[in-house]
Amino acid sequence: MAVTEANHWPCAQCGADLRYAPGQTELKCDHCGYVQAIPAKAPRQKASALVEHPLAKGLSDDLPDAASEDVRSTTCPNCGAVVEFQGANHASQCPFCATPVVVDTGSHRRIKPQALVPFELTESQARTALKSWLGSLWFAPNSLLEYTRAGRAMDGIYAPFWTFDADTDSRYRGQRGDYYYETQWVNVTVNGKTERRQEQVRKTRWSATSGRVSRDFDDVLVMASSSLPARLGNDLTPWDLTKLQPYSPDYLAGFQAEGYTVGLADGWGRAQAVMADVIENDVRRDIGGDEQRVDTVDTDYSAETFKHILLPIWMAAYKYGGKSYRFLVNGQTGEVQGERPYSVWKITFAVLAALILAAAAAYIYDPSIFGLPQPDWMD
């Protein structure tokens, strides 16, 4: 994980840290209440910031200088997180394990984020969403809910994503299966006697087919973090990307921003896998029939572009049974995903209760199963 230090903006009135106010277009000082508006981008500036980069130039490291930046970073010796440094700072601490870290001597070039979706949920709202989700889990430890009731702090992080656009044209070969029915004579036993009856048996007639399908993809989203569990991060959908704003450090005030650890080439490979699933469904619809077999699909890609964006996530970690579990809350919609633990005691009691109920039902139905006489009230 590559995470920038917490972003600090001093209050013009008292010097304390300003913080971006989720759902607003302003920075607020928690100390004195001072409010500072975030300057609005002109429509032309906003449109320019949201223009996609040509994918070929990004893959060949041929983007304009303005699209990249030099970043200094170091790897945490304790947990392996990659901490990025800003400005003249040379020492900090890892935001995930609090281990002191010192910047390496070198720097590397990275693609700058073009846009972000600002936080809309406050930490309090995110905690409420998490508490509701945890409360709906069966066999979850009671300490999970106690964790949220205790008001434990959640970390607000802008996570990195790639978005990809592409026009596709796919040629395929496959087989179409159409059902038909044949009448067959079969022997069946009725009241101890064998009878001969007719039965309709379904069969499939296969025929070779080929064709072509086309689809234009817009904003295929790929998480660019290898530190967050892919299943959790990718399932925090949907995101409303119409709310994207041109990248501005003002939105990062009081939050952290993670640098991408899934490179552009790997991100494009994952996007192609997502597109391939959609294309295969298109092929099956084009083949038609009752069943389909897809033998080969050959896809040509054109007009390939990408953006590097940041999306808001509230994150919490919980330890249970010596293992760490992570919970993510979509900072825009409140969707929750998490690695949930199970309470062994709750499962054990549930199994015992089920066995007791089953035994009671069996006794009521037939006491002789347990070698007991039938009670008088059952006569």
Side-chain angles (χ1 to χ4, degrees), residues 5 72 74 83 85-86 88-94 100-103:
E5 301 173 89
R72 298 175 300 132
T74 192
V83 181
F85 291 79
Q86 296 177 335
N89 293 331
H90 292 271
S92 182
Q93 67 177 20
C94 174
V101 291
V102 179
V103 68

Side-chain angles (χ1 to χ4, degrees), residues 74-135:
T74 192
T75 301
C76 173
N78 183 50
C79 70
V82 178
V83 181
E84 294 184 354
F85 291 79
Q86 296 177 335
N89 293 331
H90 292 271
S92 182
Q93 67 177 20
C94 174
F96 292 93
C97 67
T99 300
V101 291
V102 179
V103 68
D104 294 337
T105 56
S107 64
H108 57 281
R109 197 77 173 159
R110 301 178 68 87
I111 298 172
K112 292 197 299 188
Q114 296 164 251
L116 56 78
V117 171
F119 275 88
E120 293 191 17
L121 268 66
T122 64
E123 182 181 358
S124 175
Q125 291 171 323
R127 188 180 296 109
T128 298
L130 177 59
K131 185 187 297 185
S132 176
W133 183 80
L134 292 174

Side-chain angles (χ1 to χ4, degrees), residues 28-63:
K28 288 186 178 180
C29 177
D30 294 335
H31 182 69
C32 71
Y34 176 76
V35 174
Q36 177 177 307
I38 297 176
K41 297 286 186 181
R44 181 175 297 179
Q45 288 178 300
K46 183 174 181 178
S48 176
L50 299 182
V51 171
E52 286 88 357
H53 295 304
L55 179 62
K57 287 186 175 293
L59 293 175
S60 62
D61 197 20
D62 190 28
L63 293 173

